[in-house]
């Protein structure tokens, strides 16, 4: 107990350091003095504007998106009782992508706000549809039905999205960056708009963490312990949709954070979700902040989308997990 | 079906999951490349190539293109062009091709700066020409470029003699020469180039020694800003006209991608921009950093037409670029 609290405090300090680092270093080098002045004695110079209007929103977005994706991943893995599940397996990413493509096609506009709102709507619709689909029939909402419904929807939505994009090369050009998952050029405005949604998801995630322990034991066991299994599962889905949906709305489909961080959190904090979830939240923010800093320096004088960096880090991890799982069963 | 899968063992479910993940990953990764990959289906290699060479030599000429010598009709009348540079050049030499592609998506109208495009049949897009549409037109000459259309070169050769330039962009003058040879209008081509030369020399002498004329050129995009350096079509023309570029852009490369953080690299006495995406510029203009640029403070920001600054790649586009530069730099 005591060590776990100390661990959380250390994690919090690390996140804070990564956050400061993310504001302090970038493609353009800015003296430390200007960074401090940007907040304490702002004079409108270009360097200070870069810190306040480019780096700060970006670091904030990395912070909340990393945290949200990690919690969504934890909940998703507990819900599906599958260690290889991630929030992206809920049809959420491609639900969002399809909604964006349709919105762009219809309105001809490509503003960040349009992207964010249609992505959120698409993600929510896809998530709810997957939930309803997997609740049908005998043995309501079993893990395997959830995963099958989610993967099928994801593939279906992906192929429709790509079909539309092939017919319309112009939107392909515009949406390509979004599909990679990126944190550059985020605006404070969009951040404030999705923050309430994320906050509800985060609080919800912490509140259901106790029940996740029981859900993870399996349907019969949970029912035997007097849980309203269906309602808890519905709550879990709502949390995943809110968190992953709003993340995808501001940053695009950033992969592997949800998958990898839940494992890291369980390895450090054990299987008690009351601890796993806060640990995952911190580790998710930390990982995404660091990946985003890396994205600025991998190519000289040019940034790459952070989704590419997390994929590079995450792919070997996924293979490792799959192999370990194979041996365990 | 779902009911059946429920009874399979968890182990299998996991393998299935992994497979699905891989499929999703692969499909996710490949989604970025769809624009280009599809045109490379030219596996039909073993067949006969240019049959035109069997025609009698009296009504053909020899032209040397990117692949070597080609026999072309002395006076081709039914020409299909595969890129906008060739369309632009041919129209300027008074020849209306029977088929030409759209820049982005098949069926889009031809660039507005080009006149006399009525009656030209659309043959798809520059990146994905429609072979059936080309074949149906029964052309007697096809003009393309090796860079974009290498994969379908052999197949095109079965339809009609082909004249391919090496690539598009900075090589546009050589391209114009080859195009004029292909359509037997060499004198016309030389005349056009001489006129262009004179135009650029005039501009050069007008701005020589003038200060405050460094021109920044970039394209705001959804997630980045693409600076157009000297090795682009527009960059080469500015170079011909002696237009100075800001230090950050005075570079023999094609382009460089920057983010808002590197906004200083966008600065110039005169700021020119074009975009294909709606809203990309509006977003940049809204940012607080935008007004920290010198060109913005001096109200010397102009949008230019991407159809000829970016995608024209022929003599008419080049001339229009010089006209624009005259407008912005000589006052």
């Amino acid at each position: 107990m005591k060590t776990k609290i100390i661990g959380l405090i250390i994690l919090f300090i690390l996140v804070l350091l990564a956050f400061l680092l993310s504001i302090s270093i970038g493609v353009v080098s800015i003296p430390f003095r200007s960074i401090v002045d940007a907040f304490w004695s702002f004079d409108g110079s270009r360097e200070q504007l870069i810190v306040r209007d480019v780096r700060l929103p970006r670091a904030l977005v990395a912070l909340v998106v990393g945290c949200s994706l990690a919690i969504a991943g934890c909940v998703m893995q507990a819900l599906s009782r599958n260690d290889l599940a991630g929030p992206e397996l809920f049809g959420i990413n491609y639900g969002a992508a399809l909604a964006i493509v349709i919105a762009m096609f219809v309105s001809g506009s490509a503003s960040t706000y349009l992207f964010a709102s249609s992505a959120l709507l698409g993600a929510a619709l896809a998530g709810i549809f997957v939930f309803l689909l997997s609740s049908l029939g005998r043995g309501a909402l079993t893990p395997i039905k959830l995963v099958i419904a989610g993967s099928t929807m994801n593939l279906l939505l992906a192929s429709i999205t790509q079909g539309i994009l092939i017919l319309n090369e112009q939107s392909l050009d515009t949406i390509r960056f979004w599909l990679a998952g990126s944190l550059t050029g985020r605006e404070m405005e969009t951040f404030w708009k999705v923050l309430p949604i994320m906050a509800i998801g985060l609080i919800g995630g912490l509140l259901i963490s106790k029940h996740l322990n029981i859900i993870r034991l399996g349907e019969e066991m949970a029912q035997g312990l007097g849980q309203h299994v269906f309602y808890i599962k519905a709550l879990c889905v709502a949390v995943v949709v809110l968190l992953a949906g709003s993340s995808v709305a501001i940053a695009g489909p950033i992969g592997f954070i949800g998958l990898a961080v839940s494992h890291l959190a369980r390895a450090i904090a054990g299987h008690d979700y009351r601890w796993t979830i806060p640990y995952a939240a911190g580790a998710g923010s930390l990982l995404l902040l660091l990946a985003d800093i890396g994205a600025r320096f991998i190519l000289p004088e040019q940034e790459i989308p952070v989704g590419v960096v997390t994929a590079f880090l995450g792919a070997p991890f996924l293979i490792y997990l799959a192999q370990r799982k194979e041996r365990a069963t | 079906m779902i009911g059946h899968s429920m009874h399979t063992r968890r182990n299998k479910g996991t393998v299935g999951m992994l497979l699905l993940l891989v499929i999703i990953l692969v499909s996710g990764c490949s989604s970025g490349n769809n624009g280009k990959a599809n045109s490379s289906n030219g596996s039909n290699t073993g067949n006969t190539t240019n049959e035109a060479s069997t025609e009698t030599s009296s009504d053909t000429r020899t032209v040397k293109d990117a692949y070597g010598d080609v026999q072309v009709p002395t006076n081709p009348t039914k020409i299909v062009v595969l890129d906008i540079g060739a369309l632009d050049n041919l129209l300027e030499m008074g020849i209306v091709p029977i088929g030409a592609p759209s820049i982005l998506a098949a069926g889009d109208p031809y660039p507005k700066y080009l006149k006399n495009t009525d009656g030209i049949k659309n043959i798809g897009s520059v990146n994905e020409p429609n072979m059936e549409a080309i074949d149906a037109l029964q052309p007697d000459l096809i003009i393309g470029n090796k860079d974009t259309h290498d994969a379908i070169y052999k197949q095109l050769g079965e339809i009609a003699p082909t004249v391919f330039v090496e690539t598009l962009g900075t090589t546009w003058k050589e391209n114009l020469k080859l195009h004029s040879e292909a359509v037997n209008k060499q004198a016309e081509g030389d005349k056009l180039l001489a006129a262009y030369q004179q135009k650029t020399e005039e501009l050069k002498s007008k701005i020589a020694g003038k200060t405050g004329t460094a021109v920044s050129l970039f394209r705001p995009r959804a997630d980045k800003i693409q600076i157009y350096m000297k090795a682009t079509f527009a960059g080469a023309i500015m170079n011909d006209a002696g237009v100075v570029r800001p230090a950050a852009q005075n570079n023999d490369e094609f382009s460089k991608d920057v983010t808002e953080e590197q906004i200083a690299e966008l600065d110039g006495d005169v700021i020119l921009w074009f975009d294909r995406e709606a809203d990309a510029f509006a977003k940049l203009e809204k940012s607080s950093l935008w007004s920290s640029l010198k060109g913005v403070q001096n109200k010397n920001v102009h949008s230019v037409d991407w159809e000829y600054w970016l995608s024209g790649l022929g003599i008419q586009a080049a001339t229009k670029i010089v006209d624009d530069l005259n407008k912005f730099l000589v006052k």
Side-chain angles (χ1 to χ4, degrees), chain B residues 184-255:
Chain B
N184 209 1
K185 294 241 183 191
Q186 293 88 332
E188 190 71 24
D190 290 341
K191 218 172 80 188
L192 289 171
L193 276 178
Y196 164 82
Q197 192 72 23
Q198 200 195 338
K199 241 175 140 57
T200 49
E201 291 301 331
E202 273 171 32
L203 176 58
K204 201 177 198 165
S205 61
K206 278 184 212 161
I207 58 174
K210 262 179 96 171
T211 52
T213 54
V215 173
S216 163
L217 177 67
F218 56 85
R219 173 184 179 188
R221 307 189 72 158
D223 63 328
K224 61 188 179 196
I225 302 138
Q226 194 177 3
I227 297 178
Y228 277 66
M229 310 278 211
K230 285 163 83 176
T232 54
F233 177 66
I237 290 163
M238 288 202 263
N239 208 30
D240 284 346
V243 173
V244 185
R245 304 295 301 274
Q249 303 183 11
N250 198 16
N251 194 315
D252 283 322
E253 283 165 33
F254 181 80
S255 72

Side-chain angles (χ1 to χ4, degrees), chain A residues 292-314:
Chain A
D292 182 45
I293 294 170
R296 306 171 196 180
F297 294 104
I298 289 174
L299 291 182
E301 285 198 56
Q302 196 160 321
E303 295 189 12
I304 61 171
V306 70
V308 178
V309 180
T310 57
F312 261 108
L313 296 174

